[in-house]
């Protein structure tokens, strides 16, 4: 089993920054990719960014490219999502996810069997 705990959400004005953290524990053999997803009220959960933990390859959704950065600290088993130049449309519950993948891109939520509890990000304009 893999356990994921997110932190770092909050409220910020448009143009501001936040950094989300995801601490992972448990088995590592069944996860080689960590992702961040978000879900706004009434919308589908969408992939934001992903990182392959072995080689550090990263992927981003077009809507966040150039503004968000996903990174990892392997010693701490922690993945981060640095979010800059936040917009009101970034408001959502953000979830950390883990899975065993081989494909390009952030991927679909069904590719990630392990999920954190979510952390709320609210951006006011």
């Amino acid at each position: 089993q893999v356990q994921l705990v997110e932190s770092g959400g909050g409220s910020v004005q448009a143009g501001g920054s936040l950094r989300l953290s995801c601490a992972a524990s448990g088995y590592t053999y069944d996860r080689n990719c960590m992702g961040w997803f978000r879900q706004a009220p009434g919308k589908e959960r969408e992939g934001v960014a992903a990182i392959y933990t072995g080689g550090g390859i990263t992927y981003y959704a077009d809507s966040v490219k150039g503004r968000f950065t996903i990174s990892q600290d392997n010693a701490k088993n922690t993945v981060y999502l640095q979010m800059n130049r936040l917009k009101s449309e970034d408001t959502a519950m953000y979830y950390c996810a883990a899975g065993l993948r081989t494909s390009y891109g952030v991927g679909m939520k069904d590719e990630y069997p392990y999920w954190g509890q979510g952390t709320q990000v609210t951006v006011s304009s």
Side-chain angles (χ1 to χ4, degrees):
Q1 281 288 347
V2 176
Q3 293 81 42
L4 304 172
V5 178
E6 302 102 332
S7 60
S11 297
V12 65
Q13 288 191 327
S17 299
L18 283 174
R19 189 177 81 156
L20 307 182
S21 299
C22 174
S25 60
Y27 296 126
T28 59
Y29 68 88
D30 55 352
R31 60 177 175 91
N32 67 341
C33 185
M34 302 289 290
W36 285 98
F37 285 72
R38 66 186 181 186
Q39 187 166 18
K43 293 189 175 181
E44 292 288 322
R45 190 170 298 189
E46 62 172 355
V48 174
I51 184 167
Y52 277 91
T53 55
I57 297 172
T58 58
Y59 297 98
Y60 298 93
D62 288 342
S63 59
V64 306
K65 278 181 183 175
R67 300 188 298 123
F68 290 12
T69 302
I70 188 170
S71 62
Q72 60 182 349
D73 184 334
N74 288 336
K76 295 182 179 180
N77 281 328
T78 299
V79 172
Y80 304 96
L81 185 68
Q82 177 67 44
M83 305 184 294
N84 298 328
R85 291 185 282 135
L86 282 160
K87 305 175 181 180
S88 57
E89 50 263 45
D90 294 319
T91 295
M93 184 71 79
Y94 282 71
Y95 297 91
C96 177
L100 192 63
R101 303 178 63 229
T102 58
S103 54
Y104 292 103
V106 179
M108 306 298 290
K109 59 183 186 295
D110 292 344
E111 297 178 58
Y112 295 83
Y114 303 108
W115 292 85
Q117 80 288 355
T119 185
Q120 178 68 37
V121 171
T122 302
V123 183
S124 58
S125 56

